[in-house]
Amino acid sequence: MLKPVASARVVDIVREQLRGAILSGELAPGSRLSVPELARQLEVSRSPVREAVLLLVGEGLAIEHSRRGVEVVNLTLADLLELYELRASMDSLAARLAAARMSSTDLTALRGVLDAQGAAAIGDWRGFRELDARFHQIIVQTSGNRRLARHAELLSREMRLAGPLHINESWHLKQSHEEHREIERALRQRDGPAAELAMHAHLTRVAGTVAAHHRPQ
Amino acid sequence: MLKPVASARVVDIVREQLRGAILSGELAPGSRLSVPELARQLEVSRSPVREAVLLLVGEGLAIEHSRRGVEVVNLTLADLLELYELRASMDSLAARLAAARMSSTDLTALRGVLDAQGAAAIGDWRGFRELDARFHQIIVQTSGNRRLARHAELLSREMRLAGPLHINESWHLKQSHEEHREIERALRQRDGPAAELAMHAHLTRVAGTVAAHHRPQ
DNA sequence: AGCTTGAGTGTTACATGCAACAGGTAAAAA
DNA sequence: TTTTTACCTGTTGCATGTAACACTCAAGCT
């Protein structure tokens, strides 16, 4: 039983590498993405690198200044709040749809993520965020609306660029975890409207907390 | 008072041309987008054409089959309903936000579009759709959330690919126009929740009508 | 000093060359 | 006839050449 070989194109590998470097912070916000320079480092020609860089622009992770190069996006607080606003809308739609379509396997996976998150909540905010992303990802993926999943995924990645703007205090992480539990409960009971409301309340609350945290009064 | 000259890059012109050709149906859904062929027709080299084609893939107007070329997407009814579902969510958010931020100039523009639509409603469904797109565009643009505007715009373009799936019967266009009027009324009264509800009801109703029209029972 | 000018460096954007690949068709083998 | 093979055609994907452009900085001018 042989599986088809996915033709490993150079551009795909480069895209993954660059995305990883950007999301991990290795390529910091504001960094210039020089095609010749990256090509030298990755030891490939400029063509696939140029293509990959433009794809990242399309994903919203980098911004293009016509004829003056591309650089990693540097999100402001306003940008992050925009993203939360949009995700509140999209993810709550996803939650409502997912409530009606989730398989028991999906629910188990979701529960697993939450349990892991509960265990990690002690102080490891890095792992916590990772699991948070996974939680939301499972929901949008099972919504059954592929475009919703794609756009939500794009927004999710974009938000990860705002690392220093997020809040890592334990009370906030605990609160998020509680809200995740509530969403999961609604999903398990297949209560679409409740899941939708809980998701919307969750993301709106987080956005408010982030805003308050960065605007002292 | 000289205006800055926007460096007209070949890739931008090609992208516009291809987008136009696709949205107008000149390049029909399913058509293969051969880079060398298009380069010959447009009388430019393959590089900017290749780039433009990949951008269209990123916009969702074309689909890439690894090493087997790119073709114009061919939307199914299910795809169109997915798009309506997502837009119902995004556009209703936009309507709520726009209610609080619209300037009187924006409101006048919106009214102008509606009046033109009312006049065109006689039987010119082509012009009607054009104005419909403009109506929604004004609202998402004035929402103040740039990402929302960008993603909604992408969805709007994608929907235009489903030409033959749309309904052009006059009673349906009239109904849409009425609902647009209602949305505009809520916006003019700066009633965010009402605008949100009206927009959501509008798009959900349209989606339902489209579904019913294509699934006889 | 403050401002132009111009050399120098590095990049972008476009053009083009070419190997590997995909798909079709016709000839050869079963 | 059906299957296999070989060949042919056109494309994709990567590499590379290069003109025009953008930025820096230091010399020259006011």
Side-chain angles (χ1 to χ4, degrees):
Chain A
M1 202 63 71
L2 301 178
K3 286 179 187 172
V5 174
S7 45
R9 296 184 304 174
V10 175
V11 62
D12 292 324
I13 300 170
V14 171
R15 181 169 48 80
E16 292 295 327
Q17 291 248 339
L18 290 180
R19 235 205 325 247
I22 289 174
L23 292 181
S24 74
E26 196 178 334
L27 283 169
S31 311
R32 274 194 90 231
L33 295 177
S34 160
V35 169
E37 178 57 29
L38 292 172
R40 273 189 291 275
Q41 291 185 21
L42 296 166
E43 298 183 40
V44 294
S45 82
R46 303 184 322 253
S47 303
V49 175
R50 179 178 171 90
E51 241 175 67
V53 166
L54 291 179
L55 288 176
L56 293 177
V57 170
E59 289 181 26
L61 298 183
I63 184 167
E64 183 180 21
H65 300 84
S66 187
R67 286 194 203 273
R68 261 172 301 157
V70 172
E71 59 182 46
V72 179
V73 172
N74 198 350
L75 292 184
T76 65
L77 175 60
D79 287 318
L80 184 58
L81 295 178
E82 263 194 8
L83 285 163
Y84 270 117
E85 193 169 57
L86 190 46
R87 277 199 71 189
S89 173
M90 292 183 45
D91 278 34
S92 59
L93 167 61
R96 174 160 56 84
L97 298 175
R101 308 180 100 262
M102 278 195 130
S103 69
S104 54
T105 319
D106 296 325
L107 283 167
T108 309
L110 204 61
R111 181 70 75 94
V113 169
L114 281 187
D115 289 344
Q117 202 181 41
I122 315 160
D124 171 28
W125 57 268
R126 237 187 149 83
F128 189 91
R129 293 223 169 289
E130 176 74 32
L131 292 164
D132 181 289
R134 189 116 56 194
F135 176 81
H136 286 274
Q137 191 180 29
I138 290 176
I139 293 173
V140 297
Q141 296 286 350
T142 55
S143 73
N145 186 320
R146 296 213 299 272
R147 277 162 185 88
L148 170 54
R150 200 178 72 211
H151 286 264
E153 187 69 34
L154 287 176
L155 296 181
S156 171
R157 289 213 196 101
E158 208 175 336
M159 289 176 82
R160 289 172 59 184
L161 283 175
L165 289 173
H166 286 289
I167 304 175
N168 300 318
E169 293 169 41
S170 72
W171 65 267
H172 174 253
L173 300 185
K174 268 209 178 80
Q175 177 69 25
S176 284
H177 181 66
E178 274 311 309
E179 289 163 1
H180 283 184
R181 288 275 184 205
E182 194 185 327
I183 294 164
E184 189 264 345
R185 214 173 301 135
L187 288 172
R188 189 154 29 80
Q189 290 167 3
R190 306 217 167 278
D191 186 341
E196 179 171 21
L197 269 176
M199 177 66 85
H200 198 276
H202 167 50
L203 288 171
T204 305
R205 202 270 311 163
V206 172
T209 305
V210 168
H213 190 268
H214 290 281
R215 285 199 282 251
Q217 74 261 7
Chain B
M1 204 61 71
L2 301 177
K3 287 178 187 171
V5 175
S7 44
R9 297 185 303 176
V10 175
V11 61
D12 293 324
I13 301 170
V14 171
R15 181 168 48 80
E16 292 295 326
Q17 292 248 339
L18 291 181
R19 234 203 329 244
I22 289 174
L23 293 181
S24 74
E26 195 178 333
L27 282 169
S31 310
R32 274 194 90 232
L33 296 177
S34 159
V35 170
E37 178 57 28
L38 292 172
R40 273 189 291 274
Q41 291 185 21
L42 296 166
E43 298 183 41
V44 292
S45 82
R46 305 186 320 257
S47 304
V49 174
R50 179 178 171 91
E51 242 175 67
V53 166
L54 292 179
L55 288 176
L56 294 177
V57 170
E59 289 182 26
L61 299 183
I63 185 167
E64 183 180 21
H65 300 86
S66 188
R67 286 193 201 275
R68 261 173 301 158
V70 172
E71 59 183 47
V72 180
V73 292
N74 199 350
L75 291 183
T76 65
L77 176 60
D79 288 318
L80 184 58
L81 295 179
E82 262 195 9
L83 285 163
Y84 269 118
E85 192 169 56
L86 189 46
R87 277 198 71 189
S89 173
M90 291 183 45
D91 278 33
S92 58
L93 167 61
R96 174 160 55 85
L97 298 174
R101 309 178 99 261
M102 279 196 132
S103 68
S104 55
T105 319
D106 296 327
L107 283 167
T108 310
L110 204 62
R111 180 71 75 95
V113 169
L114 280 188
D115 289 345
Q117 202 181 42
I122 316 159
D124 171 26
W125 56 268
R126 237 185 149 84
F128 189 92
R129 294 226 169 286
E130 177 75 32
L131 292 165
D132 182 289
R134 189 116 57 194
F135 176 82
H136 286 274
Q137 191 181 28
I138 290 176
I139 293 173
V140 297
Q141 296 287 349
T142 55
S143 74
N145 187 320
R146 297 212 300 272
R147 278 163 185 86
L148 170 55
R150 200 178 72 211
H151 287 264
E153 187 69 33
L154 288 175
L155 295 181
S156 171
R157 288 214 196 100
E158 209 175 336
M159 288 176 82
R160 289 172 59 184
L161 282 174
L165 290 173
H166 286 289
I167 304 173
N168 301 317
E169 292 170 41
S170 72
W171 64 267
H172 174 252
L173 300 185
K174 269 210 177 78
Q175 176 69 24
S176 284
H177 181 66
E178 275 311 309
E179 290 163 1
H180 283 184
R181 289 275 184 205
E182 194 184 328
I183 294 165
E184 189 263 347
R185 214 173 302 136
L187 289 173
R188 189 154 28 81
Q189 292 167 2
R190 306 216 168 278
D191 187 341
E196 179 172 20
L197 268 176
M199 177 66 85
H200 197 277
H202 167 49
L203 288 170
T204 305
R205 202 270 313 162
V206 172
T209 305
V210 169
H213 190 268
H214 290 281
R215 285 199 281 253
Q217 75 262 4

